[in-house]
Amino acid sequence: MKTGWTIDAAAGTGRIQHHHSPRFTAGWTSGADDRARLEGPCWTSPGSGPDDALHLFGWTWIDPRPAPAVFDRLMEEAAAALDAWIAERL
């Protein structure tokens, strides 16, 4: 797994933490069915299709929320960390 991240999972959703500035904690889930249950803002990495998509939501920012371009790049990094974390468990 990529350094600087802590990831855990629970039934249906999990948590991801970024430990370098800008630090944050967010919820994550995957698949079209789980996305349909989420309320509020959500960032989605499409994966290879709707059932493989990763969704990040419910951010708690420890540092100030970054500008939109930095936010998108950070979410892409989070999705890559999640992909690696999931692959380690298969």
Side-chain angles (χ1 to χ4, degrees):
M1 184 174 75
K2 296 184 177 207
T3 60
W5 300 93
T6 300
I7 300 169
D8 62 42
T13 63
R15 299 295 296 165
I16 183 168
Q17 295 178 319
H18 186 241
H19 302 290
H20 302 292
S21 185
R23 297 170 296 162
F24 72 90
T25 300
W28 71 272
T29 191
S30 62
D33 291 342
D34 286 343
R35 172 60 181 111
R37 287 180 229 144
L38 297 178
E39 295 181 16
C42 177
W43 183 93
T44 298
S45 173
S48 62
D51 291 332
D52 191 40
L54 293 171
H55 313 288
L56 286 92
F57 61 94
W59 296 269
T60 299
W61 293 95
I62 299 161
D63 297 319
R65 182 181 173 130
V70 175
F71 174 82
D72 285 338
R73 186 175 69 243
L74 184 59
M75 294 305 104
E76 289 170 6
E77 292 173 13
L82 281 165
D83 280 337
W85 184 84
I86 292 167
E88 288 175 359
R89 280 144 186 80
L90 294 178

